[in-house]
Amino acid sequence: MLFLAEMEVRLPPDMPAEHADELKAREREYSQAAQRDGRWPHLWRVAGRYANVSVLDVGSIDELHELLSGLPLFPYLDIRVTPLARHPNAIDRGESDV
C-alpha cells in the first residue's frame, strides 16, 4: 500500500540545540533504515520549509502508523497522509507500485 506523507517539523524554539541535534541524528538513522528496507522509497525536501514529502510503501495502515509514530521527531511533526493508487494513464516504468 502506497501513501503520500507530508511532514512539517515544528521544533519548540526553546529546545536546546544539543537535544535537537540528537533527535535529528536519530531521525536520520531511523528514516534511512526504512529507506534501505524498502518501506520509504521516496523522501523529498520541500524547498524553503522545514518539511518533506515522502512516499511510503507498507503492508497496512497499522504498519504505516507504527512507522510514522516511531520517528524520533514524531512529537514535533505535523503529518498529513493520503493513500495513493496507480493512475490508469501512468506509463509503466517497470516499478512495482511506486
Side-chain angles (χ1 to χ4, degrees):
M1 300 174 75
L2 295 177
F3 295 90
L4 173 70
E6 299 171 84
M7 301 182 224
E8 185 95 28
V9 182
R10 301 186 190 281
L11 294 177
D14 60 345
M15 178 180 281
E18 302 80 28
H19 183 57
D21 290 345
E22 186 266 333
L23 280 173
K24 292 175 196 176
R26 288 180 31 226
E27 185 87 359
R28 181 180 310 108
E29 289 176 25
Y30 184 89
S31 65
Q32 288 180 352
Q35 289 172 68
R36 282 191 276 282
D37 70 23
R39 294 179 297 158
W40 202 321
H42 294 276
L43 173 58
W44 298 93
R45 174 178 296 188
V46 177
R49 295 182 13 220
Y50 193 6
N52 76 72
V53 176
S54 297
V55 174
L56 305 168
D57 188 359
V58 294
S60 68
I61 294 171
D62 289 332
E63 184 181 350
L64 173 68
H65 179 74
E66 183 180 326
L67 176 63
L68 293 174
S69 64
L71 289 164
L73 288 173
F74 182 75
Y76 310 104
L77 294 175
D78 185 10
I79 304 173
R80 195 164 120 193
V81 174
T82 304
L84 299 174
R86 182 166 292 285
H87 194 284
N89 294 345
I91 297 171
D92 183 3
R93 297 177 189 240
E95 301 165 321
S96 59
D97 280 331
V98 180

